[in-house]
């Protein structure tokens, strides 16, 4: 036989069981998004390269999957580019389109393109795959789904409050205990201002982030290596020492940042978000973490990151506020805030903690045996009544050996194997075998839908 | 301002209203698939080009979207190919992957790749976009969704019966009156055999198909032009004359094809399918059409095509049996039968006939006014109770002018606009305005979920 065909490197097929589990996650997220008034949109898999290039840094440009133009794509291309080493420059000549790299840039493009039809605030959610030409490795794929909810056109912090409620509800419904880390870009700016190193924001957060792991002295060393003066480092020490609940940390930060208008604004914003959210009752713990900086150049206010408590997995959800999403497409002044759920990692968390409900993978409830044409015809009529009652059912299509038929019912996770043989056909009954425990009963055919309905 | 960004030619964004309508179609199809025991899979957007090339004819190869290899993709490429006119040959050197063109070839690849894990029969459905570099025109897009259900590994005609029931149920649930055309490739082969022109199958069906439009004489002329001898044409006349119900036509065909074993086998297969399906009670009319030949080189048994009766739209669903789906990947002997729903055309049919239920486009049921911080905080608490009762609700995030807030609620199709102002805050009530007719009531805050629940 020829070589087995396969999916491209870094991409996956999803089997029925995997799909059922993935849909359990997607449906949970989708239902929460809708409950909070977010509305679904979809954008095309391809965007014009001009929409994508330059939005994810130089490295990101390289990771964009580019789509070769149709037809005679070499026509008019400078022959000088047709040589080794000119790959990236040639690419933009022979490719006009690329696959989307995330859902945020396409959303920004969407808002600008459709701004005349949009009523602001616009609360949208989007659950679609994205593609990145990353080197595939464990848990990192070249095609994966993102589940994003964003609201644009409103500066209100109530949006942040709702997004936190949504995060909390999604993970409550999934049964995953999480910690929600919070920060505010303005607090980070205030800290940098305070220690006189506004250009060292990233270095500072990277170092702070290691505090628990390597201790204060090592953090100080690292900060020095990163070019911070000793005065700046000493000024940072009180920040490193804040502790307690989110409210307590905010009080300490307000003290420390009392001279920074920006810093205080960040504390005030975060206090509103924390107080309002907690007044509404949250299951998850809110954890103020001044080292949290995800996509620093991007966020301008609140920053959110979610981790599972009971299994090590990195971030499974994150987001924040950005003040100028659509500025890159020439429409300034539209603020937004959003969150993104990482479906693949959530899948891994639910797998590790065995949190998928058993009925999430059930497909057909009843498989009917096939004992031959007459029995099959009678079974099809009963199956029709089951389906009309909303009960998924099917007949094994061929009159194969019974063992094979039961094996099939087992393999797809059916609840029952139903048998209408010669004698059942004669007296209008159905033999019903519960596959989990093998118990067998006989039910009047016309009672079957009722019996299974409960 | 910079030039408005846009989606690539032939691709579309879907707005919240469009998504709600599309989901209504997808959900209807998905629920029917599941009710009949079909299980969802997904395959990656990209396939290796080797998987796709040569499967859709020479024209199809040109319509595949090819993905440029990452990194220095020109390395090692014969410089002779780097010149105009060599576009297609170069493409296969600098592109290893392409976007899927349909769901059938990826499914065949899936079955072969995963054959050791699969229990046959395997009933799968798949609802995903496909991409074709066709010239965009009205109703033809470069990205569109297919909704396919196929069963492989079973020769039983009960599969055909179930697929017809599924087609019938989908369109019944959508409220679309359809005609289901049926044919069988073996009948076509029998006809070609009968008139001594087995290589003229396509010419024959194309000509027969025009019978109603151009009349018998013109059809005869066309057949002669297509190279059929006068004897063959005269032998075809009885076939052109069959009429009546599906059962009547089958009886006439059995007469005409009495000398063709293949033809009679086709009649017998179709008779079983028609009789069994009608015994189970179908809403749609089954229409035996010997001119029906969709993808002739592909199907080997039953051929199915569905058209809407009340609006001209071409085929909105089609399918059939193929005996060697996986042979192209070196795994022979696996028979399959399936159907594919065209979501875009079904969307257009439902739009033309105004069949979308009004609640298919509703998003949030209740939008709460925002009169300021205290009122907003109180509203958020009430909203929480609504959401806990499964009622989608949101607060307008900013305390803008009331007119703007109501305008927003209107624009998203909310059912109610709820107001908690100073006086409602004082006496624990909510002002409730039904947006459809402007009627206004006052409800005790703790009664609100119950009031809206009905």
């Amino acid at each position: 036989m020829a070589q087995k065909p396969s999916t491209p490197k870094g991409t996956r097929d999803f089997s029925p069981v995997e799909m059922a589990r993935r849909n359990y996650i997607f449906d949970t997220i989708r239902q929460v998004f809708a409950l909070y008034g977010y509305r679904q949109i979809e954008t095309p898999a391809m965007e014009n390269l001009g929409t994508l290039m330059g939005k994810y840094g130089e490295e990101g440009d390289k990771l964009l999957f580019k789509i070769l133009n149709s037809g005679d794509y070499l026509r008019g291309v400078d022959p000088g580019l047709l040589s080794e080493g000119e790959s990236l420059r040639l690419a933009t000549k022979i490719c006009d389109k690329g696959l989307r790299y995330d859902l945020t840039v396409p959303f920004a493009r969407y808002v600008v393109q459709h701004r005349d039809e949009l009523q602001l605030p616009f609360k949208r959610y989007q659950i679609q795959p994205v593609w990145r030409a990353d080197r595939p490795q464990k848990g990192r794929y070249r095609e994966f789904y993102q589940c994003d909810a964003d609201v644009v056109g409103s500066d209100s912090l109530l949006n942040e409050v709702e997004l936190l409620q949504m995060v909390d509800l999604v993970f409550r419904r999934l049964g995953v205990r999480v910690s929600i880390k919070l920060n505010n870009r303005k607090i980070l700016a205030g800290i940098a201002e305070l220690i006189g190193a506004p250009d060292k924001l990233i270095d500072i957060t990277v170092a702070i982030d290691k505090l628990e792991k390597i201790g204060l002295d090592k953090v100080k060393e690292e900060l020095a290596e990163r070019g911070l003066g000793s005065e700046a480092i000493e000024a940072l020490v009180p920040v490193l020492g804040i502790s307690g609940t989110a409210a307590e940390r905010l009080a300490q930060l307000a003290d420390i940042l009392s001279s920074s208008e920006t810093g205080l604004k960040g504390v005030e914003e975060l206090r509103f978000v924390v107080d309002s959210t907690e007044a509404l009752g949250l299951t998850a713990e809110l954890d103020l973490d001044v080292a949290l900086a995800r996509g620093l150049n991007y966020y301008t206010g609140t920053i959110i990151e979610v981790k599972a408590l009971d299994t090590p997995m990195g971030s499974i959800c994150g987001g924040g506020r950005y003040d100028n999403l659509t500025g890159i497409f020439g429409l300034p002044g539209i603020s937004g805030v959003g969150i993104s759920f990482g479906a693949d990692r959530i899948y891994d968390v639910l797998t590790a903690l065995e949190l998928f409900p058993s009925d999430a993978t059930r497909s057909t409830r009843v498989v009917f045996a096939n004992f031959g044409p007459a029995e099959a015809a009678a079974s099809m009529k009963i199956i029709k009544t089951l389906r009309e009652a909303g009960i998924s059912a099917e007949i094994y299509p061929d009159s194969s050996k019974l063992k094979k038929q039961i094996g099939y019912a087992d393999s797809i996770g059916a609840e029952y194997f139903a048998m209408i043989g010669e004698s059942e056909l004669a007296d209008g009954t159905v033999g019903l075998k519960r596959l989990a425990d093998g118990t067998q009963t006989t039910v009047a055919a016309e009672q079957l839908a009722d019996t299974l309905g409960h």
Side-chain angles (χ1 to χ4, degrees), chain A residues 25-206:
Chain A
I25 295 171
F26 291 135
D27 289 345
T28 302
I29 292 172
R30 204 189 326 262
Q31 281 158 14
V32 170
F33 285 171
L35 197 57
Y36 278 75
Y38 285 74
R39 306 161 77 207
Q40 189 173 15
I41 69 163
E42 282 189 1
T43 62
M46 308 175 195
E47 293 282 350
N48 291 317
L49 264 190
T51 299
L52 301 174
M53 296 279 284
K55 309 304 188 299
Y56 307 104
E58 207 175 309
E59 199 49 38
D61 283 352
K62 285 187 198 151
L63 299 184
L64 293 172
F65 279 111
K66 298 166 190 77
I67 294 162
L68 196 65
N69 294 341
S70 314
D72 193 2
Y73 56 88
L74 288 174
R75 183 177 304 156
V77 170
D78 173 4
L81 289 175
L82 300 174
S83 60
E84 281 190 32
E86 294 286 0
S87 293
L88 193 58
R89 282 180 58 206
L90 177 62
T92 61
K93 304 290 179 196
I94 61 177
C95 300
D96 293 337
K97 297 176 289 293
L99 294 179
R100 67 172 163 254
Y101 182 88
D102 69 2
L103 301 179
T104 306
V105 167
F107 176 51
R109 193 267 308 144
Y110 181 99
V111 170
V112 176
Q113 182 175 341
H114 301 283
R115 63 184 181 276
D116 297 334
E117 312 138 37
L118 286 185
Q119 174 99 11
L120 298 183
F122 181 49
K123 297 167 80 172
R124 87 85 170 81
Y125 79 85
Q126 193 169 351
I127 299 181
Q128 291 192 278
V130 302
W131 295 270
R132 296 180 187 180
D134 258 321
R135 190 176 297 276
Q137 58 186 56
K138 191 175 158 15
R140 190 201 280 166
Y141 304 101
R142 292 185 148 189
E143 174 181 72
F144 57 97
Y145 270 73
Q146 291 191 334
C147 313
D148 285 18
D150 291 82
V151 46
V152 292
S154 165
D155 294 329
S156 168
L157 293 167
L158 290 179
N159 298 303
E160 272 89 335
V161 173
E162 287 210 333
L163 288 167
L164 288 172
Q165 289 184 289
M166 289 159 68
V167 167
D168 190 58
L169 184 54
V170 164
F171 290 111
R172 181 143 42 95
R173 288 190 174 178
L174 292 175
V176 179
R177 296 199 317 128
V178 296
S179 122
I180 303 177
K181 284 179 197 271
L182 283 181
N183 198 4
N184 189 301
R185 164 69 189 260
K186 297 187 181 85
I187 291 179
L188 290 172
I191 294 171
E193 201 182 306
L194 178 77
I195 66 174
D199 57 327
K200 296 283 186 202
L201 257 182
I202 291 173
D203 296 301
I204 295 168
T205 55
V206 167

Side-chain angles (χ1 to χ4, degrees), chain A residues 217-247:
Chain A
D217 289 344
K218 292 272 186 199
V219 166
K220 284 184 177 178
E221 269 175 41
E222 182 159 336
L223 286 167
E225 276 165 28
R226 285 169 181 268
L228 258 81
S230 57
E231 251 180 79
I233 293 175
E234 286 312 314
L236 194 60
V237 170
V239 175
L240 301 177
I242 69 166
S243 66
T245 64

Side-chain angles (χ1 to χ4, degrees), chain A residues 340-410:
Chain A
S340 180
F341 290 84
D344 287 296
R345 284 191 175 171
I346 294 173
Y347 188 99
D348 291 343
V349 167
L350 296 188
T351 304
L353 300 176
E354 297 180 10
L355 288 173
F356 283 110
S358 60
D359 63 356
T361 57
R362 169 155 302 137
S363 48
T364 311
R365 283 192 66 202
V366 198
V367 173
F368 276 71
N370 188 330
F371 290 107
E375 292 87 348
S379 298
M380 292 285 276
K381 289 202 173 152
I382 309 290
I383 289 172
K384 194 188 173 206
T385 64
L386 295 186
R387 288 171 179 155
E388 279 166 357
I391 298 164
S392 61
E394 61 181 289
I395 186 165
Y396 191 87
D398 304 277
S399 50
S400 313
K401 280 186 185 153
L402 203 60
K403 197 180 159 193
K404 190 172 175 192
Q405 300 191 34
I406 295 183
Y408 169 81
D410 258 329

Side-chain angles (χ1 to χ4, degrees), chain A residues 262-313:
Chain A
T262 306
L264 286 181
K265 176 85 175 123
V267 170
E268 188 193 311
E269 287 184 9
L270 218 41
R271 186 175 282 143
F272 178 85
V273 170
V274 169
D275 288 352
S276 303
T277 310
E278 293 189 336
L280 292 164
L282 226 56
T283 301
E285 195 85 7
L286 288 181
D287 178 13
L288 181 72
D289 180 357
V290 290
L292 179 64
R294 310 169 52 89
L296 189 68
N297 296 317
Y298 186 73
Y299 294 124
T300 53
T302 308
I303 305 173
I304 302 167
E305 185 172 86
V306 183
K307 287 189 173 168
L309 287 176
D310 301 317
T311 185
M313 187 60 68

